[in-house]
Amino acid sequence: MNLEFNKNEDHNRQLLSDLKRKLADIKLGGGTERIERHHQKGKLTARERIEYVTDPERPFLEVAAFAGEGMYQEYGGCPSGGVVVGIGYVAGRMCVIAANDATVKAGAWFPITAKKNLRAQELAMENRLPIIYLVDSAGVFLPLQDEIFPDKEHFGRQFRNNAKMSASGIVQIAAIMGSCVAGGAYLPIMSDEALIVDKTGSIFLAGSYLVKAAIGEVIDNETLGGATTHCEISGVTDNKYQSDQQCLDAIRDIFSKLGSASTAGFNRAKPAEPDKSPQEIYGILPGERVKPYNTMDIIKCLVDESKFSSYKPDYGKSLICGTARIDGWSVGIVANQRLVVKTKKGEMRMGGVIYSDSADKAARFIMNCNQRKIPLVFLQDVSGFMVGSRAEHGGIIKDGAKMVNAMANSVVPKFTIIMGNSYGAGNYAMCGKAYDPRLIYSWPSAEMAVMSGAAAAKTLLQIKVASAKAKGSPLTKKQEQEHLDGITEKYNAQLSPYYAASRLWTDGVIDPLETRKVISMGIEAANHAPVTEKFNVGVIQT
C-alpha cells in the first residue's frame, strides 16, 4: 500500500467513526431516562419492537435514520424524525415497517415525521411490499401544525395512501401499542387489520381532556378508547393482547399465512463476493475532493467476483457504463469517472464532469437496460455538465437532456449511491432524489449542492463586491475575506451528507461496505412489483 492509499484510508475511517457515533446517539431516541420510563410502563421501544418482530437471521435496512438531524432544536430536537422506518423480513416475508418512537415527544408528529412516514408508504407502494405500522403517538406536534396539517404532502396524505394501498391489494397491518389520537387514529383503522395492546394502547378522535372541554363529559381515557372498549363495544380494533410481545407475535402469525407475491423477474444468479476487497474503498477514495481516482477500482470492490462488462469503454470516458452482478442480481451501472483523461484529439478533460459524448453514451446504455429489464445503479461523484463555448457549441444541453430523458422515463428500478460530489444538474442526470430512485444513500464522503462550497462562495462574493462597488462603497480586502469566510462556513455546513439526510433528500448515510446490502435488498424489494409500464422516452432531439 502506498502513502496516498494510507492517507485516504485514515481520512475515510475517521468519517466512518463519526458516522457510527452519530448513529449511536440517534438510536437512543429521546434519551436513556425516557427509555427507562418507557420500560417501566411495560412497553418496548420502537427499535426493540422492530428487533422483536423481524427475523433475527435476516438483515434489516434502516431508511432515513438521520431524518430531523439538527432540526427543531428550539423544541429539543426530533431524533430520527420520531419514527423508525426500514425494510426487513417478518416470518420470511419482506416488508416495510414504520414504528413511532414515543421516547421523542411522546411520538408526536413533526413535519419531518410526516415526510418520513410518507417515504415508508412510498417504499411499500413502489415495491408492492406489505407494511406494518407500530403506532405509539400523541398526534400532531401542535406548535408546528401549520407545517404539517393542510398541504398535499402533509399529515393527511398518509390516509389517502392507506386507501390507495388497500385498493391495490398491498397488505397493511397496524398495532396500536400506545396513544393513537385525533387524525392519527385513521392510520391504523384504515389498515387491513388493527391490533391493540391492553392497558397501554388507546385510540380516540379526542382524549378525555378535550372531550370534557368540548361537550362537558367526564370520562377516563381507558374507558373512552382503550382495548376493551374497541374490541368489545365499538368493534374498531380486531384483537387485544396483554403485552407488546404477544401483539408482535400475532403480527408474525399473520405474515406466516400470507400468499406469495408476483415478481418482476429480475435476473439473479448465485451471489458471490468481490475478488477485490471492499475494504480497499477506504484507501481508493481521496480525502481531497479535487484529486483524481479510478472509479473502476471502486466498482471492482462492489460487484460479484469483481467482474464488469464495459459498454463503449473507449467513448465518453467521463462516465463508466456497463453490466455486472451485485449479490447475484444483474445490474446496469452508470458511474462518474474522476480521472483526468486525454482524448485522441489531445483534449484534456476534467474528472467528474459529464461531457456530450458521455451523456450520449449513458442515454443509450440506460435504454438498453430498460430493453433487457436490468435494474440501474448510479454511482455519483459528479461536478456537473461541462460548460464553456466549446461545450455549448457542441450541444451539451441537448445531449444532457437526452440522458435525463432516458433516465427519468426508465421503468426498471433505479438505485443511487452518492460517493463524493453531487453538484448541480449532475445530481439530476445521475438520478438524484427528484428522479425517483427506489433507494438513495450517501457515503460519509458525499457532498450535495448546486455547486461546491469554494465555487459558491467565490460566486456570491463577486456579487457582493460588485454590489458594494456600484453603491460607491467598495469593500476592503479584509472585508472581502470576512465575507468569503462567512459564506464558505455556511455553505459547507449545507454540503454535509447529514444535512441532506436530515431533510430526506437521501435515505441515509452508510458505510461504503453496506452498499452491496442496500442495492441487493433494494432489488429484492423491487422484484415484488412487476414492471407493467412500457419504456418510452418521448421526444428526444438528435
Side-chain angles (χ1 to χ4, degrees):
M1 298 297 177
N2 59 35
L3 183 62
E4 190 67 28
F5 185 98
N6 292 336
K7 184 179 176 181
N8 292 342
E9 186 174 38
D10 289 344
H11 173 80
N12 286 308
R13 288 194 181 278
Q14 181 58 55
L15 293 179
L16 182 60
S17 177
D18 292 343
L19 168 63
K20 290 179 178 177
R21 175 181 52 78
K22 287 175 179 289
L23 279 173
D25 289 343
I26 280 171
K27 288 180 179 180
L28 290 175
T32 53
E33 288 185 10
R34 290 179 182 172
I35 290 173
E36 182 55 34
R37 289 203 295 270
H38 210 66
H39 288 161
Q40 288 172 0
K41 297 175 183 176
K43 299 166 67 174
L44 300 175
T45 65
R47 293 183 182 279
E48 288 168 343
R49 287 165 178 165
I50 290 174
E51 184 178 5
Y52 185 93
V53 78
T54 53
D55 299 346
E57 72 280 6
R58 305 295 294 275
F60 179 76
L61 177 60
E62 185 162 357
V63 175
F66 288 102
E69 170 80 357
M71 299 168 68
Y72 313 117
Q73 294 305 307
E74 66 273 35
Y75 300 108
C78 186
S80 211
V83 59
V84 184
V85 167
I87 300 173
Y89 302 83
V90 173
R93 186 67 176 265
M94 187 177 244
C95 63
V96 177
I97 303 175
N100 296 114
D101 186 351
T103 70
V104 179
K105 289 286 187 292
W109 286 60
F110 285 70
I112 199 66
T113 315
K115 190 172 183 180
K116 186 169 175 179
N117 272 273
L118 290 174
R119 177 64 177 137
Q121 291 182 321
E122 182 180 50
L123 287 169
M125 289 188 288
E126 283 184 333
N127 300 299
R128 296 197 60 82
L129 291 176
I131 184 167
I132 298 169
Y133 307 103
L134 304 179
V135 185
D136 194 344
S137 171
V140 168
F141 187 65
L142 291 178
L144 296 174
Q145 65 86 26
D146 63 319
E147 297 179 37
I148 187 175
F149 166 63
D151 210 348
K152 180 179 177 181
E153 301 299 333
H154 281 179
F155 188 74
R157 185 74 172 183
Q158 64 181 331
F159 313 133
R160 174 264 189 195
N161 289 348
N162 279 143
K164 290 290 186 180
M165 282 191 278
S166 182
S168 64
I170 296 172
V171 174
Q172 301 175 84
I173 306 298
I176 301 157
M177 312 185 85
S179 296
C180 189
V181 184
Y186 286 101
L187 182 125
I189 306 310
M190 292 188 73
S191 298
D192 302 324
E193 197 155 349
L195 318 179
I196 188 168
V197 180
D198 197 18
K199 301 297 186 288
T200 55
S202 59
I203 180 168
F204 31 66
L205 295 181
S208 56
Y209 292 126
L210 184 53
V211 166
K212 183 177 180 181
I215 63 173
E217 181 183 2
V218 178
I219 190 170
D220 64 89
N221 282 339
E222 183 64 26
T223 305
L224 180 66
T228 298
T229 294
H230 286 310
C231 285
E232 298 181 16
I233 300 173
S234 72
V236 166
T237 53
D238 302 315
N239 285 294
K240 66 178 178 180
Y241 302 91
Q242 298 306 308
S243 66
D244 281 8
Q245 290 88 342
Q246 284 187 16
C247 186
L248 296 169
D249 286 339
I251 292 174
R252 290 187 59 83
D253 182 61
I254 292 169
F255 268 69
S256 71
K257 297 181 174 72
L258 292 180
S260 61
S262 301
T263 67
F266 299 127
N267 183 280
R268 192 180 197 187
K270 183 179 179 181
E273 293 297 316
D275 288 347
K276 189 177 181 71
S277 172
Q279 296 274 348
E280 290 190 32
I281 291 173
Y282 303 135
I284 296 167
L285 197 65
E288 297 178 45
R289 314 198 74 77
V290 295
K291 283 196 172 181
Y293 67 94
N294 192 346
T295 305
M296 188 59 72
D297 291 336
I298 298 281
I299 291 172
K300 288 180 178 179
C301 293
L302 296 175
V303 301
D304 293 11
E305 298 179 310
S306 300
K307 290 181 179 179
F308 182 79
S309 300
S310 292
Y311 175 77
K312 295 190 177 183
D314 299 322
Y315 177 74
K317 291 184 178 181
S318 71
L319 278 176
I320 294 173
C321 298
T323 54
R325 291 190 183 275
I326 292 179
D327 199 34
W329 293 104
S330 171
V331 296
I333 295 174
V334 180
N336 300 109
Q337 176 62 285
R338 273 262 291 271
L339 283 178
V340 176
V341 297
K342 187 175 182 179
T343 68
K344 291 181 180 179
K345 296 179 180 179
E347 175 191 1
M348 297 301 294
R349 291 191 168 184
M350 297 183 293
V353 177
I354 301 175
Y355 291 80
S356 282
D357 52 0
S358 302
D360 179 68
K361 175 173 87 170
R364 181 59 183 250
F365 177 72
I366 289 167
M367 293 177 191
N368 284 348
C369 287
N370 276 271
Q371 180 81 356
R372 300 168 189 176
K373 207 157 72 170
I374 299 174
L376 286 160
V377 174
F378 292 83
L379 301 178
Q380 285 196 15
D381 193 349
V382 58
S383 303
F385 285 90
M386 188 58 190
V387 297
S389 61
R390 179 180 291 185
E392 298 292 359
H393 296 170
I396 184 66
I397 296 175
K398 177 184 67 177
D399 291 320
K402 259 192 266 184
M403 180 179 174
V404 171
N405 199 324
M407 180 273 299
N409 283 297
S410 288
V411 295
V412 294
K414 306 183 292 270
F415 303 89
T416 302
I417 302 295
I418 304 173
M419 307 185 300
N421 302 327
S422 180
Y423 299 150
N427 168 280
Y428 299 158
M430 292 294 292
C431 196
K433 184 64 182 289
Y435 292 86
D436 298 323
R438 294 295 176 94
L439 293 170
I440 175 171
Y441 281 85
S442 296
W443 290 355
S445 48
E447 285 188 357
M448 186 189 302
V450 173
M451 60 182 75
S452 70
K458 289 175 183 176
T459 302
L460 292 170
L461 179 63
Q462 287 174 8
I463 296 170
K464 183 79 174 177
V465 169
S467 176
K469 188 176 181 180
K471 292 176 181 176
S473 54
L475 301 178
T476 65
K477 291 294 182 183
K478 182 180 179 181
Q479 287 175 323
E480 285 186 20
Q481 189 60 50
E482 288 174 350
H483 281 295
L484 182 64
D485 292 343
I487 294 168
T488 302
E489 182 180 357
K490 179 181 178 181
Y491 206 88
N492 283 342
Q494 295 175 351
L495 286 169
S496 164
Y498 301 103
Y499 188 91
S502 71
R503 288 152 180 80
L504 267 73
W505 301 343
T506 66
D507 288 318
V509 185
I510 58 167
D511 181 342
L513 301 188
E514 289 188 275
T515 303
R516 281 171 54 85
K517 168 188 167 183
V518 166
I519 295 169
S520 177
M521 289 187 70
I523 297 175
E524 183 181 350
N527 202 38
H528 287 75
V531 178
T532 56
E533 293 180 80
K534 188 175 181 180
F535 179 64
N536 188 337
V537 294
V539 177
I540 294 183
Q541 291 187 9
T542 58

